[in-house]
Amino acid sequence: MKTIKLHHLLASCFALLIVLVSGCEEVPPVLNPGGSASSEVTPVDQQQRQVLIEEFTGVRCVNCPAGSEAIEALLDQHGERLVAVSIHAGFFATPFDESNEDLSNAQGANIMSLLNEPLGFPTAVVNRRQFAGEESRQLGQGQWAGYIAEELAPEPSVRIDIQNTYNANSRDLTIEVDMYAVEDVNAEDVRLTVYLTESNVVDMQQTPEGRDANYTHKHVFRKALTAVAGEQISEAFTTGAVISRSFDYVLPDNFKDTECEIVAFVHRGGETLDVLQAHRAKVVE
């Protein structure tokens, strides 16, 4: 019995020592408990604020690969709480003769016009906001991390669930988007925008080392299933309301279904455009 008591006493002292030592050390925050590599999706009733970053890029932009790498690092940091879309638009997006395809399209050009023409590249828009002191919604690479962190801080006023039903034989895709109002949204114009993106598209890209025919493009904007300025929601976003929209689309043969995602975000209309919540879901789980 004495041996057992002594063992317990030593264990208790050791545990106390660990607590005291730990209290003197700074414990780093867990920035991404799920991790970008995690396949688990947070249940919609536990969904935190998720932020949209729309990157503008092009295959002829020598500095854009650095911007894309920065976004991948931010995705590693924030996981599912960051939703990335890479829009090929502007004069840098003109394909090379050797390109497999043109990654730009008219909708992407319209999105760029909506969100202000970039003054330089790499460039991106965070939650479609024009932040205080900024001349444009377009932000340089060094500004992304800070504004993303700022936008992640509030609790979401809206939560989004996306259910994709896909037939691999016919390539028919049905998207069900459910929007849950966590609190009253006091805005006359609230909209839903839905994108289709594709990752791991191997094609030409200008890099600091020269043209790379095997460059991997990620989060490529392929299609807006709503108007690029969004579909106005007629129902009121009052606390507890559930608002649903459904979309049908036939996935083109040149899109790899296992690499495609649906991105949906609720935002204000008019001149403000601020995103209230964003979410993404794979076409094929």
Side-chain angles (χ1 to χ4, degrees):
M1 292 296 292
K2 290 183 180 180
T3 303
I4 295 174
K5 288 181 180 179
L6 179 60
H7 175 75
H8 286 173
L9 179 62
L10 290 173
S12 299
C13 291
F14 183 68
L16 178 61
L17 179 61
I18 290 176
V19 170
L20 292 173
V21 171
S22 299
C24 299
E25 295 179 352
E26 182 179 354
V27 179
V30 179
L31 297 173
N32 176 21
S36 64
S38 174
S39 60
E40 295 184 5
V41 177
T42 301
V44 68
D45 62 342
Q46 300 173 29
Q47 191 178 94
Q48 295 177 288
R49 182 73 181 270
Q50 298 183 345
V51 171
L52 175 71
I53 182 168
E54 292 167 283
E55 173 201 22
F56 291 89
T57 188
V59 297
R60 294 179 181 268
C61 173
V62 68
N63 295 321
C64 288
S68 297
E69 288 180 11
I71 287 177
E72 292 308 303
L74 288 165
L75 286 166
D76 285 341
Q77 180 180 354
H78 297 296
E80 68 175 11
R81 298 193 65 192
L82 183 62
V83 178
V85 179
S86 295
I87 300 167
H88 290 249
F91 57 90
F92 281 130
T94 304
F96 294 105
D97 292 340
E98 304 92 336
S99 296
N100 297 325
E101 62 175 309
D102 187 352
L103 298 178
S104 65
N105 57 53
Q107 286 185 324
N110 290 337
I111 296 169
M112 178 182 278
S113 296
L114 177 70
L115 301 181
N116 307 132
E117 295 286 337
L119 298 177
F121 290 77
T123 185
V125 176
V126 175
N127 264 356
R128 294 196 163 182
R129 283 195 60 188
Q130 183 164 343
F131 294 92
E134 299 293 346
E135 296 181 358
S136 170
R137 290 183 176 86
Q138 297 283 351
L139 302 167
Q141 180 182 333
Q143 300 170 289
W144 301 343
Y147 284 129
I148 288 169
E150 181 179 320
E151 288 294 289
L152 283 170
E155 292 296 319
S157 57
V158 178
R159 293 188 172 107
I160 301 173
D161 188 38
I162 303 171
Q163 297 293 330
N164 294 319
T165 303
Y166 176 66
N167 185 315
N169 294 321
S170 65
R171 298 182 70 84
D172 289 330
L173 172 63
T174 298
I175 304 116
E176 182 79 21
V177 180
D178 297 320
M179 296 162 277
Y180 298 82
V182 180
E183 61 186 31
D184 291 356
V185 177
N186 297 316
E188 294 182 0
D189 189 350
V190 180
R191 302 188 177 202
L192 169 68
T193 294
V194 178
Y195 288 165
L196 173 74
T197 67
E198 183 183 4
S199 283
N200 297 321
V201 179
V202 177
D203 208 336
M204 189 71 67
Q205 175 66 48
Q206 186 70 44
T207 74
E209 291 75 35
R211 294 184 189 178
D212 183 355
N214 296 307
Y215 184 85
T216 301
H217 299 270
K218 296 186 177 182
H219 323 292
V220 177
F221 170 78
R222 288 298 202 178
K223 174 77 175 175
L225 302 179
T226 58
V228 295
E231 175 184 314
Q232 190 167 5
I233 304 298
S234 57
E235 299 94 324
F237 276 86
T238 54
T239 304
V242 181
I243 301 169
S244 300
R245 292 292 186 272
S246 183
F247 305 87
D248 294 314
Y249 183 65
V250 179
L251 206 65
D253 290 338
N254 62 312
F255 295 0
K256 190 173 182 181
D257 50 13
T258 55
E259 297 291 351
C260 288
E261 288 189 328
I262 294 298
V263 171
F265 53 100
V266 176
H267 57 99
R268 300 180 191 275
E271 296 182 359
T272 307
L273 306 183
D274 296 0
V275 174
L276 304 177
Q277 182 74 334
H279 191 54
R280 59 189 167 99
K282 291 181 176 295
V283 167
V284 179
E285 291 293 343

